[in-house]
Amino acid sequence: MTTGMLEAMQSLNTLRDLDRHFARWIGVLSGDAAGPPTLAAALASQRLGEGDVCVELSRFAGQRLFATPEAEDGLPAPDLKPWIDALRASAAVGTPERPDRLLVLDGTRLYLARYWHFEKTLADALHRLASAPVPVDIGRLEAALNRLFPAAIAAGESDDQKTAAALAALRRLCIVSGGPGTGKTHTVAVILALIAELAGPPFPRMVLAAPTGKAAARLTESIRKAREGLPVTAEVRAAIPTEAMTLHRLIRVRPGRANPGHGPDHPLHLDLLVIDEASMIDLPLMSRTVAALPDHARLILLGDKDQLASVEAGNVFADLCAKPGRGYSPALCALLKRCAAYDGPADPAATALGDCLALLERSYRFGSRSGIGALARAVRAGADPMPVFEAGMGDVTHVAPDPAAPMKTPEAAISAFGAIFKAVDPARALACLEDFAILCATREGAAGVVETNRRIEMGLKAAGLAVEPGGMYQGRPILVSRNDYQLGVFNGDIGILWPDPADGVLRAWFRQADGELKKISPGRLPAHETAFAITVHKAQGSEFDRVLLLLPDHDVQVLSRELLYTAATRARRHIEIRGPVGLIRKAAARSAERASGLAEKLWQQPQHRPPD
């Protein structure tokens, strides 16, 4: 290391100012501004910004750090052992036994201390939930399940939805993972009815939540529809909640405050919490939410383990589903066989947490002739997806762009988005956005969100519509990119600019969780951008009749099987992917990975030990 290391960091565009300032502060505390802890601090901060919860030092030891693909720059990292030794000796670095410093070294993983605490707190809380006994009358449970799942009884076969419902009744923690069309929402509606029925009056206080307003609105709509068809009494049906809220509103995240309004010292007033779209939840939000549960509460998490991870740090839901083996403990298998006709394997090594995981694998939306279903399965398995396109199924299309031709505005976009401007009110204009979506893998570049939105606006204007590219105009869809707790709009919420029927003044309209519209003066909106095209990440929690996925013409880090799978499963009727064949194959073969110690803490995998 040279004494000019901090100065050298100033010229590296792969580092943020935040990374540099944090590294400088660690250098001061360590007494060596150019030492290994300073370099490690910059790396830990930078990787956190990329979604990693921690740094696995063995991956970076002996490498050049912060280099750009275009130039051989960057800073040399020490070998692993001297790097570990220097961190152990630093006054700025703690350990799991003494996690009271700005950084925590846990084996060969280096954390910002608060993220180590988030991870440890969450893992401990989930273990407590998984291990807590739940007294259940098995005879009543069996009778209720048989009534609520009559189709499974008639077919005489095991039903993964029925198994999931039984698990939720038998455990205080239930994690349900399944792709689109596997019946997660129907299953949770049955679970709510089942738990209410078994508890009897006074019924438990049950709360529905989701990470975004859009996801909360979809959960509200789905639960309302599902509960009406359940074979339960009017009293049980009335006990099922019908309105979901955002997690931010639930735990009362407050701007400018480090801690939310609800936490261990002021727990939530509920008996059961259901969280949908759990794959979208980052580590801090999940940790804070679970910490806010009262001691007696149950928790049900719904999500899709194969989707993209959260935009922020962590891959919590995938870590929760990283169970080694497939079977349940012998004791649980015996109960499930009796009350849910479960015929799966028993695993003597299954843990209490493993007995809380349910996988829904049968798709009721995508049949054997569904190209979307076949594409999703191929990508999820890491297989070559091109044979799916070549099979001639009508709901999947691939277009290989001409590398010599400039990117053009998709004709389908002008037709689909032109319908927005024919809507008679903001509600119908918002509904038009659910018919067709353009998803991009990146923000920048010819196939990125920024340039695609510019081309669409120019195309709509050329078609004679009253569009002011970059301006505020009727029919402009907008995507909020920063939370505003006072206004009740959050990062990822999509709205539309439309005149207020009451006075004709242009407002921004958003659909709330209860289905009603919220209007906001455009001047009060937090940071936002045009949303004719959005990234695949921002599309999580949404579904569209038709999807057009635009890929860049060269490989980029974000391309992965999780991105392709998430994009494909946003489509209900048709998806078209435009991108080079080789790039699609490379993305399908590559899994997005995020550094985290959560799976190890949850599933007790072998520890990563530093060298002696």
Side-chain angles (χ1 to χ4, degrees), residues 510-518:
F510 298 86
R511 193 178 303 282
Q512 300 181 100
D514 60 2
E516 297 298 316
L517 297 189
K518 174 202 293 280

Side-chain angles (χ1 to χ4, degrees), residues 125-126 128-132 134 160-177 184 187-188 191-192 194-195 272-276 278 286 290 293 297-303 317 320-321 328 332 336 352-360 603:
L126 292 173
R128 285 195 299 271
L129 276 169
S131 303
V134 177
D160 50 9
Q161 292 186 17
K162 190 176 184 181
T163 299
L167 281 181
L170 292 165
R171 323 299 292 185
R172 278 184 54 203
L173 172 66
C174 185
I175 305 158
V176 182
S177 176
K184 292 192 298 292
T187 301
V188 81
I191 289 171
L192 295 173
L194 180 65
I195 290 176
L272 183 151
L273 174 62
V274 174
I275 304 177
D276 196 15
M286 184 70 86
V290 175
L293 294 174
R298 297 175 184 244
L299 175 64
I300 299 173
L301 299 174
L302 307 174
F317 194 74
L320 277 171
C321 296
Y328 298 113
L332 180 59
L336 293 176
L353 185 62
D355 279 352
C356 298
L357 176 62
L359 300 179
L360 306 183
W603 302 108

Side-chain angles (χ1 to χ4, degrees), residues 22 26 44 48 53-54 92-95 98-105 110-121 283:
F22 182 68
I26 294 299
L48 184 64
V53 172
C54 58
V93 182
T95 64
R98 191 194 60 191
D100 56 348
R101 310 293 174 88
L102 290 178
L103 293 167
V104 173
L105 181 64
L110 183 68
Y111 293 80
L112 272 67
R114 62 198 301 256
Y115 281 81
W116 183 88
H117 284 285
F118 282 139
E119 194 174 89
K120 179 70 162 55
T121 299
L283 175 63

Side-chain angles (χ1 to χ4, degrees), residues 575-594:
I575 180 168
E576 177 180 316
I577 299 181
R578 296 191 183 185
V581 171
L583 200 62
I584 295 173
R585 285 178 169 146
K586 182 177 290 188
R590 181 168 58 199
S591 180
E593 295 183 1
R594 286 190 169 181

Side-chain angles (χ1 to χ4, degrees), residues 199-267:
F203 295 111
R205 175 174 164 77
M206 301 183 286
V207 174
L208 306 174
T212 67
K214 179 171 52 180
R218 286 190 60 218
L219 179 60
T220 295
E221 181 182 7
S222 298
I223 290 292
R224 287 180 177 177
K225 289 180 180 178
R227 78 167 193 162
E228 296 308 314
L230 296 177
V232 295
T233 65
E235 292 77 15
V236 168
R237 184 175 289 107
I240 298 174
T242 57
E243 182 174 345
M245 66 180 74
T246 65
L247 289 175
H248 295 83
R249 177 184 167 197
L250 174 69
I251 64 173
R252 291 173 48 203
V253 174
R254 299 169 293 185
R257 304 280 187 91
N259 296 313
H262 286 290
D265 298 328
H266 185 202

Side-chain angles (χ1 to χ4, degrees), residues 366-381:
F366 303 129
S368 60
R369 291 298 302 163
S370 166
I372 297 174
L375 178 62
R377 289 190 295 271
V379 169
R380 187 175 59 191

